[in-house]
Amino acid sequence: LGHGTQMTLIAAGSVNPLGTGADAPAGSLVVAIRAFDDNGFTSNYTLMRGIEAAIQQGARVLSLSWGSETSSSLLESATRYAASRGLILVAAAGNAPTGTPVYPAAYEGVIGVGALTPKGDAWDQSNYGDFVAVSAPGLADLPVGYNGDPGIYAGTSIATAYTARRVAAILTQNPGADRTTI
């Protein structure tokens, strides 16, 4: 009942980000894979096991609403492996407008996602840079809080979960689409 639950609600189509309008795609089935503990900590090993679990479950899209400015050759290898298995990886660009690459969004083969306001302008806290491939609505009124009460939340995590939902909708209409097509 926190960040992961919030992102699942968006990916599944139970909550639409603010500003999406009537063209918001329907939700898709979501395979929840917990990769962070109650304090928000994880390890490369746990993340790699999560990616492998997504592949084993038959997922087509992997929504990664987290990031680090520290690159990891192990995590980069895992994302490359997942992409080679046909998984479309979508990752948050980060909530600090520094222009510094954030991983996994900055890895080759991963779609880095920035956040937009409900009016379609760049959200002032969204990271930017050549690793950001797309931007999507990044504010949502969520019925579950994260380090606070339910209400309006903002971030590239929201934009990432929504982008993953859009990618899933594209794959439903065109099962053969690859990351380049999407």
Side-chain angles (χ1 to χ4, degrees), residues 75-103:
L75 185 56
E76 182 177 14
S77 211
T79 60
R80 197 174 328 115
Y81 170 73
S84 77
R85 298 290 305 265
L87 209 58
I88 307 295
L89 291 92
V90 183
N95 298 336
T98 64
T100 302
V102 170
Y103 302 93

Side-chain angles (χ1 to χ4, degrees), residues 11-91:
S14 296
V15 172
N16 284 319
L18 302 174
T20 55
D23 69 337
S28 59
L29 295 175
V30 173
V31 176
I33 300 170
R34 185 173 183 176
F36 290 79
D37 68 18
D38 288 343
N39 297 310
F41 294 106
T42 191
S43 68
N44 280 336
Y45 177 75
T46 301
L47 294 171
M48 290 186 297
R49 287 190 60 207
I51 291 169
E52 181 61 29
I55 292 168
Q56 294 301 315
Q57 292 289 325
R60 297 284 317 275
V61 182
L62 187 57
S63 180
L64 305 167
S65 287
W66 52 270
S68 171
E69 291 183 0
T70 304
S71 182
S72 158
S73 59
L74 291 172
L75 185 56
E76 182 177 14
S77 211
T79 60
R80 197 174 328 115
Y81 170 73
S84 77
R85 298 290 305 265
L87 209 58
I88 307 295
L89 291 92
V90 183

Side-chain angles (χ1 to χ4, degrees), residues 80-149:
R80 197 174 328 115
Y81 170 73
S84 77
R85 298 290 305 265
L87 209 58
I88 307 295
L89 291 92
V90 183
N95 298 336
T98 64
T100 302
V102 170
Y103 302 93
Y107 291 135
E108 186 175 334
V110 178
I111 300 171
V113 183
L116 301 172
T117 69
K119 292 182 179 183
D121 301 318
W123 177 52
D124 64 353
Q125 293 302 301
S126 181
N127 201 2
Y128 59 89
D130 61 3
F131 70 98
V132 179
V134 299
S135 292
L139 280 79
D141 189 357
L142 293 159
V144 174
Y146 172 67
N147 290 335
D149 294 329

